[in-house]
Amino acid sequence: MIMKDFYYAYIDCLNRRAWDELGLYIAENARHNGRPFGLSGYRSMLIQDVENIPNLTFVVDRLVCEPPLIAARLMFNCAPKGEFLGLKINGRHISFAENVFYEVNNGKITNVLSVIDKAAIEAQIAE
Amino acid sequence: MIMKDFYYAYIDCLNRRAWDELGLYIAENARHNGRPFGLSGYRSMLIQDVENIPNLTFVVDRLVCEPPLIAARLMFNCAPKGEFLGLKINGRHISFAENVFYEVNNGKITNVLSVIDKAAIEAQIAE
């Protein structure tokens, strides 16, 4: 599978909440921002994210692939129920970007280095 | 010039504070996070950054190129003099990542979409 197709299939898996398919994309020993989550921890993080943000949808805004790396700019329009990144959102609608790098080895994501635009969210809730 | 060489030359230009060469890399109509800075505004932003952070050095940690896009993960170890991203740093040493996408057209950067890991900085100054 070419890398772009692989990545869009991964994003589709997240948007369908198809957690049982996550192992097709995430390696058993995957790391997320330096944390050795593994597949099970990664899955738990996503389930928690969707619990906090029921209308969470991943939209790919920019995608750059050069094996073994993928870089994506994801855009979110959502309404976290309580706190998000330590900010009291309490159901307000916010929009923000996540710029994220993935390392892919043997056909699965082994490392994720993600930065969420917290400053943009702070500016929105200060309005 | 291949894209990686172009990008490393741009980063070298920044680290040398070679502001007179910036126009080799940044287009006259460049945008930065949605702001229509142009080359002159981009240059002013960088000069201000270096005034606030004299030991600012750009280190490329990850680089993904697929024309017309470049994605880079930059790492910074520095000591902002006063405030940075609205946080009172006051000369403390901090380390953080910037995940950034660039659009390159006609051999120059026309659009920059950058996210700095503010949450990581907050965690460091809360220690």
Side-chain angles (χ1 to χ4, degrees):
Chain A
M1 193 187 296
I2 68 168
M3 255 183 147
K4 278 196 165 46
D5 292 341
F6 169 80
Y7 188 72
Y8 279 110
Y10 164 66
I11 291 296
D12 185 58
C13 170
L14 302 185
N15 284 331
R16 287 185 292 113
R17 321 301 194 215
W19 310 131
D20 289 345
E21 300 174 22
L22 196 63
L24 296 173
Y25 309 102
I26 303 296
E28 285 290 344
N29 63 344
R31 301 178 65 86
H32 187 281
N33 283 353
R35 299 167 297 185
F37 271 179
L39 173 59
S40 63
Y42 202 95
R43 178 179 162 140
S44 298
M45 172 187 71
L46 287 164
I47 290 172
Q48 186 65 54
D49 286 345
V50 169
E51 165 63 25
N52 293 341
I53 315 173
N55 66 343
L56 184 67
T57 303
F58 296 74
V59 175
V60 180
D61 181 62
R62 299 282 196 289
L63 182 59
V64 191
C65 297
E66 191 181 20
L69 296 176
I70 295 172
R73 180 173 170 90
L74 303 173
M75 297 300 301
F76 298 94
N77 287 282
C78 59
K81 288 196 292 193
E83 288 202 0
F84 180 62
L85 305 179
L87 303 172
K88 292 180 177 60
I89 309 298
N90 296 330
R92 279 177 287 186
H93 279 265
I94 55 175
S95 300
F96 59 91
E98 176 184 359
N99 286 3
V100 54
F101 288 77
Y102 307 84
E103 292 177 10
V104 179
N105 288 290
N106 296 320
K108 294 187 184 177
I109 292 166
T110 54
N111 195 18
V112 181
L113 298 165
S114 155
V115 184
I116 290 173
D117 195 349
K118 184 174 181 179
I121 301 171
E122 289 170 336
Q124 289 166 53
I125 64 177
E127 283 170 0
Chain B
M1 193 188 295
I2 68 168
M3 254 181 148
K4 279 198 164 46
D5 292 341
F6 168 81
Y7 188 72
Y8 279 111
Y10 163 66
I11 290 296
D12 185 60
C13 170
L14 302 185
N15 283 331
R16 289 185 292 112
R17 321 301 195 215
W19 309 132
D20 289 346
E21 300 173 22
L22 196 62
L24 296 173
Y25 309 102
I26 302 297
E28 286 289 346
N29 63 345
R31 300 178 66 86
H32 186 282
N33 282 354
R35 301 166 295 184
F37 271 180
L39 173 58
S40 63
Y42 202 97
R43 177 178 163 142
S44 298
M45 173 187 70
L46 287 164
I47 290 172
Q48 185 65 53
D49 286 345
V50 170
E51 165 63 24
N52 293 341
I53 315 172
N55 66 343
L56 184 67
T57 302
F58 296 75
V59 175
V60 180
D61 181 62
R62 298 284 195 289
L63 182 59
V64 191
C65 297
E66 191 181 20
L69 296 176
I70 295 172
R73 180 173 170 91
L74 303 173
M75 296 300 301
F76 299 94
N77 287 283
C78 60
K81 289 196 291 192
E83 288 202 0
F84 181 61
L85 304 180
L87 303 172
K88 292 180 175 60
I89 309 298
N90 296 330
R92 280 179 287 186
H93 279 265
I94 53 175
S95 300
F96 59 92
E98 176 183 1
N99 285 4
V100 53
F101 289 77
Y102 306 84
E103 293 177 10
V104 179
N105 289 289
N106 296 319
K108 294 187 183 177
I109 292 167
T110 54
N111 196 19
V112 181
L113 297 166
S114 155
V115 183
I116 291 173
D117 195 350
K118 184 174 181 179
I121 301 171
E122 289 169 337
Q124 291 166 52
I125 64 177
E127 282 170 359

